[in-house]
Amino acid sequence: MASEAMASEAKATSELTKNKAFMDLYSRQIGAFGIETMSKLVNMKVLIYGLGGVGIETAKNLVLAGPGTVTLTQDQNPTINQTRTKTQSREEDVGSPRARVCAPRLQELNALVRVGVHEGGLTEELVGQHDMLVITSPDLGREELIRWNTFCRQHEVVVPDARGKRVSRQSPIKFICAAAMGALSYVFSDFGDDFLVNDETGEPTVSRTITGISCEEDGIIQLVDPHTSELAQPHNVEDTEHRGYVTLSEVEGMYCKDEASLGKLGHSINSSGPWRVQHVWKTIAEQLIVPRSLGGDGKQREEQFWVRVRDEKTGELVKDADQADGLKRVPKFARECGDLPEDLFVRNEDGSKATRMTRVKDFYKLKIGDTRGYSPYEGGGVLQQVLEPVVHHHKSLGTMLQQPVAEGFPSLMSCDGDKEEKGWWYPLLHVTKQALFTFHATHGRFPTPNDEAEAAEVVGIAQSYNTAMSQLRSFCGESQACSVPLDLAGEAVPAPDVASLPQEKQDAIKSLGEGVGLDEVRAYFALERASWNAEDAMMALFTDPSAMDALAAEKVKVDTFEAIAAIKKFTYAAGVEFQPLCCFIGGIVAQEVVKYTGKFTPLNQWLHFDCVEVLPDSPPPAAAAPAGRYANNVTLFGQDVQDKIMNSKTFMVGCGALGCEFLKNFALLGVATGEQGLVTVTDGDRIEVSNLNRQFLFRSEHVGTPKSTTAAQSVKLMNPAIKVRSLELLAMPSTENVFDDDFWAGSGVPNADDVAERPAGGFGIDFVTNALDSVKARKYVDSRCVFFHKPLLESGTEGTKFNSMVVLPTLTESYDEGDPEPAAGEAIPMCTLRNFPSTIVHCIEWARGQFEDLFVTPVSTLRDFLDDPDGYINNLRENAEAYMMDANDLSKAIEAIDNKEGTGLLTTAKTLAEVKAQGFAACVRLAADLFNKLYNHRMRDLIHQFPRDYVTSDGKPFWVPPKRFPAVLELALAEPTVLAFVISVANLFAVAYGLQPLPENGRNENGEEFDTFVPEAHEWRAEATVRAALAGYAVQDWSPSSEKIETEENTEEAKEAAPAESVEDLIAKLTGLLSELGAVRSQLAGAKAQPADFEKDLDQNFHIDFVSAAANLRGRNYGIKEATRHKVKMIAGKIIPAIATSTACATALVCMELVKLLQSKPKVAFRNSSNSFAINSFQMAEPSDARKVAGRHEEEILPDPVSEPDAFDETGAPLPEYIRKSVWVAVPSPHTKWDRINVPAGTTLGGLVELLESQHSILLAGWTCDVETEDGGKSGVVLYNKPRDAAALGFDKELLLATAPLDLSFQKAQMAILRNKDIKNKQLYSMQWKALQPEQVAKENAFRSRNLADILEEKAGSLSGRKSIELQVNLENADGEEVRTPPCVLQL
């Protein structure tokens, strides 16, 4: 039965991969989940009860994710204030059944999901028809939640047994309940007693090349050694029961020796199944840092020798009973052993000197078990990590309400390190939740918002519950219940107000705390007990045994007060919904539902999350309940805060998945719905099919339209009052005329063409919201935020991972200062890509490069040539014949016209003429020629130069892993991949040479859809057309190439062996080629060349078709397992996996920070986050302080291995004499990037020099600016360089004037200087003579007297619209050392 189920799953997965519409829609999600997970998800049925904020967010994210069925049910209808937290609700929906209203709009999101509606409450029949029940309505009550959880756990189905008898079989329904109550939320997950998880982390498995396997009791696999190949990679296989298994394939040899063991060992090790691996350890000489006292530099590492110790008085060796030889030994560096007698060195068994050793993992070996039953290893092999499913055990809701800590876990799951450190915060959230449930059970509702009496009642319930649970733990054991480790009914005192104390007391608290490791509260009370005498306080801590206990007691009182205050805060808000928190929990719940497929780790089992920091310090007055769309916000924060939200201005950069979620959140919160509010959104992209899976403001009819304008129109359906200004621009230096100073710091309105007049005054935008997927763009926007001192809300996602960051001017580090981006994967050596691939990734990268080399670069050159062919030919000929080109220029020109790859201009021009004359048939023949060149002839050349038995110059076999011996392919059109290659290449050539328009789609000026694709049924896509074009086609016979194939060993030899040609020979060759090109030119009248622009998401353009076919054919050449089209697309397109839930949660966290920002909360209230759904890691932390630049620093500048290859020793370490030092000094010290040196408007160059010197004691060494080049780029221009100190160079002014008076002519002055034997530096004196000329002095003085702004405008263009500009200056101190300062900003 299991094998049948697996076969059925495999068949379903295969069918999905053939569904182009499915693969297009879910391409990014498949990258995160995998196609196997998607094949399970599409058959899943989910029932959602509760369509409040959390319920609708869950439903929205789920529909985008793509389960088979999502059924909605809810007892109540929405009210006007509830529409503000619900994605799919609008004002006209008030009073209508929620499920019926929301279902059609959810259905619009994804036609592949069936969205159903059940009107009425839950029934057993209804629940039994689904695989999972999700309850998001806390109003259902605790007892009802327990009842439905019990029903789900005990659910049974009636099925026929093996004999046809109908029997009951247990079929538990997965259960999730969740709620967001003000600033407190929870998620509970119950997947049953035993739930199989196939992949806990979602991290990719590893594949490695094997170079050896030993036949022994503990067989060892040897991977490629880093000492023999730059392709070596550590195994990265964990030694765990889940990820610690591997399978082996392509191993030569290692056949089962005993027929009786075939069942256990398999026919060979390749068919032996998974092996449980263990890590291999090795002992190596330990490398330790040489101390400075011994001449080290604090970084250099060396090994130490073991040396025996001789007693100075007796001369005897010192004894040590703990040593094997009974003698004491000490470690010493070699530099300490110069005079030591040889007999003092401890020796190894082989007589060598013993060194200090350490045990480390060998990352290139793995132990797999007993391999003695196999014949010897002969070569090759691939190791593939496989995952062993693990069983997770869940308990019922009733059980987990009493003891929410999962078995095997020390505490409740934490989401905030600062709160976790308290030790009581997360138990407090559970106790508060229980108290709120009890209040609801008593009153039939949650507490009235901001009601002091009802908050006090909840506190009393919490105190009683906590006491009862504490007693239960005491009597029955800690595993029986959970309680707050505080006596909530005990004495409570507020924390001391340290911030209001005199500075000297604050400093004393900090000093004592840091000195003895006390927190602020304990340090305060310690000093208070000692009458603020720091010495007495310190002494008491060490002499009075009861002092620490007394301080701990004070801390408990403070903690108790804080805990009670937190319960009250949560209670004040529990009766209303906070939209960002609903959004966050909805994302988590939706992703938890996906885990039904066995992908990723399910929650175990409670998640408690709060955002208490967002609440005001004291609740708004408990007046009559506010009405209207924003009633929840007004209840939580008051009308003043809501007014700020509504009148805020934000600049949102990017409008993809993140941008859509932000706009939705803005609309529901009320951002920019007031008279002064505005959201300016800009994005240069257009909507593609793959966007529809995550960017939920877009529908299929929007494909091809601009993202920004479409999203702006869509979000107005949610909230017509929101003001959105959409632009189709990128945020970059070239658009600073639109996003100008007035936009950032004045009106807050962009300087767009359709804006007649912008309002005067104002403070510009209030905050910036980044919704970008480009690090470069993010850093640019970050730099503008720093310059204008604007808060930045930053977020990002990658698959199941997401993060958020808030940048607060002057307080926190900026985005650019944050954690560096993960390093890109290691570069693949060119010789590997060209000739020796060992993985399918190598093949895909090679195919992607072929696309550029065939359809982009040469076609671009041909297009440029066709623009002015006569000019191209004549210009090159004239320059060559006039000897205006050196040998290097001539060689480059020749290479461009006729190269060995066959992609030179002459070849492409001839090809264009052929295609122009013969049409598509010529393109088919070109494709056939290319196939034979790449997969037949090149492989024959490789085998010819390096036959299977080839050995290297040092006598070692050449074809050893990771190298794979190639096979030759034949042009067999009956083979689908070969045919796909020919068709894709022929069609790409047809576009390149003008037979077919460039592939595009979108909407025309009339809004009508159009595309220029070759239709699916077109003859150019047909096998018959290919065969007809190749009728009579003869494959060119192979003959060995004279070109030497590059390997790792011969790369340098090939470079050195290239013979040099004379300039005359090169000119003759070039002019001959130009003559040939001229002859072809006459055949190209009316022809055109169209270089491709690689686009991964337009499947009809043949781009991915080509890369997929080309890569997999190359894989066949080398016996490499082929990849699916989707995998090729992800790798070649560098597609980042993405899912809707990550986007929803990231933006929700950002919007929590937005509300804090508009309340002017202190830095301690803000949170950055780093999260992963896969492993249930949600970590919040206070933003890091702005980085301080201080002091004097000396940095090493290492030599460049390319330009200075002789600067390294045999191990690759740089030689000391090539390491240069760079010194810089911070001025002022300290400073941050938020600081600035302000240069007043109207300052001259001389004034700047004086300002820097007088106010900061620094010198202006240089000043540059960027100017725009003809090609639209930027080029630096020097505006000023500090005159050299001539006197320091030995210049004597009196000697100069005596030798060459200033009234001499320049020629006579030069002669006089040359003749004077006392003048050694002739060039210096000549330059100084010029500089002292009165007209030159006057010119310099005039330049120094010019306004800085005038100089900039003259060089860089108009400064119109700018209020200030950062000066690009180089600064130094009087010692000539580099000075680093905050930005120098010129006011305009």
Side-chain angles (χ1 to χ4, degrees), residues 1059-1135:
E1061 293 184 81
S1062 68
V1063 170
E1064 289 74 15
D1065 290 342
L1066 290 171
I1067 291 173
K1069 182 183 290 187
L1070 178 58
T1071 53
L1073 290 171
L1074 292 173
S1075 296
E1076 276 193 76
L1077 195 56
V1080 178
R1081 181 252 180 281
S1082 61
Q1083 305 172 41
L1084 303 179
K1088 62 180 179 179
Q1090 302 177 136
D1093 182 9
F1094 184 75
E1095 174 49 62
K1096 58 190 177 293
D1097 285 317
L1098 295 179
D1099 279 346
Q1100 297 98 317
N1101 64 9
F1102 295 101
H1103 294 187
I1104 293 298
D1105 291 338
F1106 166 77
V1107 177
S1108 180
N1112 283 323
L1113 289 172
R1114 187 161 177 86
R1116 289 183 194 178
N1117 275 139
Y1118 290 92
I1120 297 170
K1121 184 179 179 181
E1122 297 175 27
T1124 64
R1125 187 181 188 281
H1126 181 263
K1127 180 175 181 178
V1128 172
K1129 180 176 180 176
M1130 296 293 290
I1131 296 172
K1134 301 188 186 308
I1135 295 174

Side-chain angles (χ1 to χ4, degrees), residues 407-419:
E407 192 172 335
F409 286 74
S411 61
L412 282 167
M413 179 178 166
S414 163
C415 298
D416 189 312
D418 292 338
K419 293 174 181 176

Side-chain angles (χ1 to χ4, degrees), residues 15 58 96 299 402 426 514 528 601 777 868 885 904 932 1010 1100 1207 1225 1244:
E15 290 300 317
T58 301
S96 301
K299 299 178 182 178
Q402 180 169 303
Y426 287 97
E514 291 177 351
E528 186 184 55
T601 305
D868 184 11
M885 301 172 72
N932 286 306
F1010 78 93
Q1100 297 98 317
V1225 182
T1244 63

Side-chain angles (χ1 to χ4, degrees), residues 299 1192-1197 1220-1224 1377:
K299 299 178 182 178
R1192 184 177 183 276
H1193 297 263
E1194 189 174 282
E1195 297 177 347
E1196 289 185 348
I1197 303 176
R1220 296 179 288 279
K1221 303 287 185 181
S1222 172
V1223 176
W1224 61 268
E1377 296 171 327

Side-chain angles (χ1 to χ4, degrees), residues 911-1237:
T911 302
L912 176 58
E914 181 183 353
V915 171
K916 183 172 178 287
Q918 301 176 26
F920 187 71
C923 296
V924 174
R925 289 191 290 273
L926 287 170
D929 289 342
L930 182 64
F931 177 92
N932 286 306
K933 173 184 174 182
L934 297 178
Y935 304 110
N936 187 294
H937 291 187
R938 280 193 183 172
M939 296 303 105
R940 292 182 186 276
D941 286 335
L942 188 58
I943 295 169
H944 175 74
Q945 291 191 31
F946 303 103
R948 187 181 287 275
D949 57 357
Y950 186 83
V951 294
T952 62
S953 56
D954 56 2
K956 296 180 180 178
F958 180 80
W959 291 106
V960 294
K963 289 190 182 77
R964 291 167 170 263
F965 190 74
V968 174
L969 301 185
E970 302 294 340
L971 183 64
L973 295 177
E975 208 293 311
T977 308
V978 175
L979 180 63
F981 175 86
V982 174
I983 290 175
S984 62
V985 172
N987 277 275
L988 287 168
F989 276 140
V991 172
Y993 296 123
L995 296 184
Q996 172 72 12
L998 284 166
E1000 294 179 311
N1001 70 336
R1003 294 181 182 272
N1004 59 25
E1005 295 177 355
N1006 299 322
E1008 301 165 335
E1009 290 189 44
F1010 78 93
D1011 68 61
T1012 59
F1013 305 138
V1014 176
E1016 289 292 338
H1018 196 276
E1019 61 180 0
W1020 287 4
R1021 293 180 180 269
E1023 179 179 352
T1025 303
V1026 172
R1027 291 190 177 277
L1030 295 179
Y1033 172 79
V1035 177
Q1036 183 180 357
D1037 291 337
W1038 170 78
S1039 60
S1041 171
S1042 60
E1043 180 188 345
K1044 188 171 184 179
I1045 293 175
E1046 182 181 315
T1047 68
E1048 293 177 29
E1049 295 83 7
N1050 69 14
T1051 302
E1052 293 304 318
E1053 296 174 18
K1055 290 178 182 177
E1056 293 171 6
E1061 293 184 81
S1062 68
V1063 170
E1064 289 74 15
D1065 290 342
L1066 290 171
I1067 291 173
K1069 182 183 290 187
L1070 178 58
T1071 53
L1073 290 171
L1074 292 173
S1075 296
E1076 276 193 76
L1077 195 56
V1080 178
R1081 181 252 180 281
S1082 61
Q1083 305 172 41
L1084 303 179
K1088 62 180 179 179
Q1090 302 177 136
D1093 182 9
F1094 184 75
E1095 174 49 62
K1096 58 190 177 293
D1097 285 317
L1098 295 179
D1099 279 346
Q1100 297 98 317
N1101 64 9
F1102 295 101
H1103 294 187
I1104 293 298
D1105 291 338
F1106 166 77
V1107 177
S1108 180
N1112 283 323
L1113 289 172
R1114 187 161 177 86
R1116 289 183 194 178
N1117 275 139
Y1118 290 92
I1120 297 170
K1121 184 179 179 181
E1122 297 175 27
T1124 64
R1125 187 181 188 281
H1126 181 263
K1127 180 175 181 178
V1128 172
K1129 180 176 180 176
M1130 296 293 290
I1131 296 172
K1134 301 188 186 308
I1135 295 174
I1136 298 173
I1139 54 177
T1141 48
S1142 295
T1143 306
C1145 287
T1147 56
L1149 292 173
V1150 165
C1151 287
M1152 294 179 199
E1153 304 310 301
L1154 181 162
V1155 178
K1156 297 175 190 176
L1157 191 66
L1158 296 177
Q1159 294 181 79
S1160 302
K1161 289 276 188 177
K1163 173 177 169 289
V1164 69
F1166 289 86
R1167 288 293 180 268
N1168 290 349
S1169 76
S1170 178
N1171 314 279
S1172 171
F1173 283 129
I1175 58 174
N1176 301 311
S1177 174
F1178 307 99
Q1179 293 302 317
M1180 315 293 137
E1182 182 184 341
S1184 300
D1185 292 337
R1187 294 189 184 180
K1188 292 182 178 178
V1189 183
R1192 184 177 183 276
H1193 297 263
E1194 189 174 282
E1195 297 177 347
E1196 289 185 348
I1197 303 176
L1198 301 178
D1200 177 24
V1202 176
S1203 60
E1204 302 175 279
D1206 297 330
F1208 299 85
D1209 62 20
E1210 295 177 354
T1211 67
L1215 297 169
E1217 59 267 28
Y1218 285 91
I1219 301 175
R1220 296 179 288 279
K1221 303 287 185 181
S1222 172
V1223 176
W1224 61 268
V1225 182
V1227 175
S1229 180
H1231 70 263
T1232 74
K1233 70 186 304 181
W1234 295 103
D1235 298 320
R1236 58 175 53 183
I1237 295 176

